Amino acid sequence: MSATAFMFPVWVLAAVVIVGDGAKGECPFAAIFNFGDSNSDTGGLVSAFPSQSRPNGETTFGEPVGRFCDGRLVVDFLAQGLGFPYLNPYLQAMGSNFTTGANFASAGASVLRPINQVRPNGWLSPFYLQIQYDQFVHLKSTALELYSKGWFRDTVPLPSTFENALYTIDMGQNDLTAQLSNGIPMDQVSAQFPQVVDAIGSVIQALYTTGARFFMVSNMGPLGCYPAFLATSAPHNPNDLDSNGCLISLNQVVSNFNEVLKNKTFLLQTQLYGSSVIYVDSNSIKYQLWANGAANGFKSTTTACCGPSQGQYNYDSTVTCSNSAIVNGQIVSSTSCINPSSYVSWDGIHFTESANRFVATQMFSGSYFQPSFPITQMCPLSFF
Ligand SMILES: *[C@@H]1O[C@H](CO)[C@@H](O)[C@H](O)[C@H]1NC(C)=O
Ligand SMILES: *[C@@H]1O[C@H](CO)[C@@H](O)[C@H](O)[C@H]1NC(C)=O
């Protein structure tokens, strides 16, 4: 821990010399490279497998734009806060501009290789973490080659961008939920966490070897509060609910994952000389949405906004947001609620834009970074 604490100011000074151009003040970041799942997918999965319907995207974009949300994600608020356009997905073939970063995240992506993880009828994205890393390496080598030829300067990052970028990672949720859908008992799921976290650590180490120096690793959100898991589990386990209506046992499993992840990030900070590996406690921020939802303008915390308009949680795994199905001889459609901004959950699994804004605002206050990092003092972050 101390090595990083001492190294960090030196690194910031170096970065300011390289990046500082007046306009950005002393903010050291020239770009964001993001690795993740649907929590931070800005269109990767939909670029590979085109299909997404309304009402996704309705609040901010007016149409589906590849995000599993009514509007912006936390990574969108981060990009906006740093003065960048929204991150384009690496896989987006048309109109992409990677000068200020790229997004490798894919909805349904796991850390571990999906084929080893799901039973025959299960599904995970093929773009698991190692593939996302390979895509980054390819993007970087292509960018360096194009730079040396002087081509596409207005859409390709400069060579110096890579060492001055913020590398963000938010993964593991699909590894955990794949195990649960495979029927592995809750008390045995944690056995897999060291393997998942080691794979995350290996990718951070590999990125460091390419010259990456600044990492933010987000921990896992309180899945036990999400309407999708509540709808499946709560009716059979009424004694498993805490005072905020969340599943105690599932949230405990998430805490186990987060502890393993935190230990790994702390270890990496001592091992990767001259780097900053920040553990971001998003879980504590997100849990506030349930614990203090009303005080923050959220009237509905355990009911999904976009759903079949049925049941306490408004979630049915056979009729998820934007889909229709015939249930008991009747067509049931999952559509949006009237006022998404008063809901925490968009579709039972993902957050609404207004919940994401809350999370981003709290996150970049700096109080949830370990070790602490004064991002707002350095970068002109503002959220609206
Ligand atoms: C790509 O984005 C950069 C940074 O926002 C901008 O300066 C540049 O003009 C953009 N390129 C194109 C072709 O729009
Ligand atoms: C995390 O590290 C602490 C302190 O080194 C240790 O006591 C704890 O057992 C570790 N937990 C996990 C889950 O690895």
Side-chain angles (χ1 to χ4, degrees):
M1 169 167 180
S2 52
T4 312
F6 286 119
M7 278 311 298
F8 183 62
V10 178
W11 175 80
V12 170
L13 282 177
V16 170
V17 172
I18 299 160
V19 183
D21 60 0
K24 289 197 190 75
E26 54 177 346
C27 188
F29 305 123
I32 304 167
F33 293 104
N34 180 67
F35 303 83
D37 52 30
S38 58
N39 292 307
S40 60
D41 181 355
T42 55
L45 185 76
V46 171
S47 294
F49 305 106
S51 103
Q52 202 189 29
S53 315
R54 294 170 190 275
N56 284 298
E58 66 172 9
T59 299
T60 302
F61 305 101
E63 60 180 353
V65 288
R67 290 160 177 78
F68 295 87
C69 181
D70 59 314
R72 287 164 288 180
L73 310 180
V74 173
V75 71
D76 291 316
F77 286 110
L78 174 60
Q80 233 179 342
L82 291 176
F84 302 151
Y86 302 133
L87 289 189
N88 286 141
Y90 168 81
L91 292 173
Q92 182 177 290
M94 302 290 282
S96 287
N97 183 346
F98 298 121
T99 52
T100 54
N103 194 355
F104 304 92
S106 174
S110 50
V111 173
L112 301 180
R113 195 165 178 255
I115 197 159
N116 299 335
Q117 292 222 64
V118 284
R119 296 224 168 135
N121 295 320
W123 193 86
L124 285 173
S125 165
F127 306 107
Y128 70 109
L129 182 56
Q130 181 65 41
I131 302 289
Q132 294 186 21
Y133 169 76
D134 292 345
Q135 292 174 338
F136 166 78
V137 170
H138 183 251
L139 179 138
K140 181 173 177 181
S141 65
T142 309
L144 298 183
E145 190 184 332
L146 292 172
Y147 181 82
S148 71
K149 293 178 173 158
W151 294 353
F152 301 113
R153 287 274 164 94
D154 59 351
T155 52
V156 170
L158 297 173
S160 62
T161 299
F162 294 95
E163 67 217 52
N164 298 318
L166 172 60
Y167 292 79
T168 51
I169 303 173
D170 178 359
M171 284 186 101
Q173 183 173 322
N174 289 315
D175 297 81
L176 193 164
T177 57
Q179 290 201 86
L180 293 178
S181 22
N182 283 347
I184 295 174
M186 196 83 84
D187 58 357
Q188 288 169 34
V189 168
S190 302
Q192 191 201 38
F193 295 161
Q195 196 193 352
V196 173
V197 167
D198 280 351
I200 295 175
S202 298
V203 162
I204 293 174
Q205 242 156 338
L207 287 167
Y208 175 84
T209 310
T210 72
R213 289 296 176 266
F214 200 96
F215 305 92
M216 280 188 185
V217 185
S218 189
N219 70 4
M220 197 185 297
L223 306 187
C225 301
Y226 299 6
F229 301 109
L230 286 164
T232 315
S233 190
H236 317 293
N237 304 287
N239 297 328
D240 192 26
L241 296 178
D242 70 15
S243 58
N244 299 305
C246 302
L247 294 161
I248 297 164
S249 57
L250 184 51
N251 279 346
Q252 182 55 51
V253 169
V254 169
S255 297
N256 297 346
F257 177 86
N258 288 343
E259 195 188 336
V260 180
L261 183 68
K262 184 171 164 178
N263 277 9
K264 174 60 82 177
T265 60
F266 284 15
L267 182 65
L268 285 170
Q269 277 176 77
T270 66
Q271 292 174 336
L272 304 182
Y273 183 75
S275 76
S276 289
V277 184
I278 309 290
Y279 173 79
V280 185
D281 185 9
S282 315
N283 183 285
S284 295
I285 303 171
K286 290 173 177 170
Y287 191 75
Q288 289 304 310
L289 288 163
W290 281 270
N292 296 312
N296 289 292
F298 295 97
K299 281 194 290 204
S300 302
T301 56
T302 55
T303 306
C305 164
C306 183
S309 307
Q310 286 170 8
Q312 184 185 355
Y313 301 113
N314 193 26
Y315 180 86
D316 180 340
S317 61
T318 62
V319 201
T320 53
C321 179
S322 84
N323 292 308
S324 298
I326 296 173
V327 180
N328 300 331
Q330 299 228 301
I331 296 182
V332 175
S333 298
S334 270
T335 53
S336 179
C337 59
I338 308 253
N339 185 8
S341 70
S342 65
Y343 284 70
V344 171
S345 183
W346 166 239
D347 56 9
I349 299 202
H350 307 102
F351 291 79
T352 58
E353 172 177 286
S354 67
N356 285 329
R357 182 191 292 104
F358 175 85
V359 173
T361 307
Q362 295 295 312
M363 192 182 287
F364 300 109
S365 74
S367 323
Y368 298 88
F369 293 146
Q370 297 178 27
S372 67
F373 171 65
I375 191 166
T376 32
Q377 276 121 278
M378 300 167 72
C379 302
L381 290 167
S382 63
F383 301 111
F384 36 83

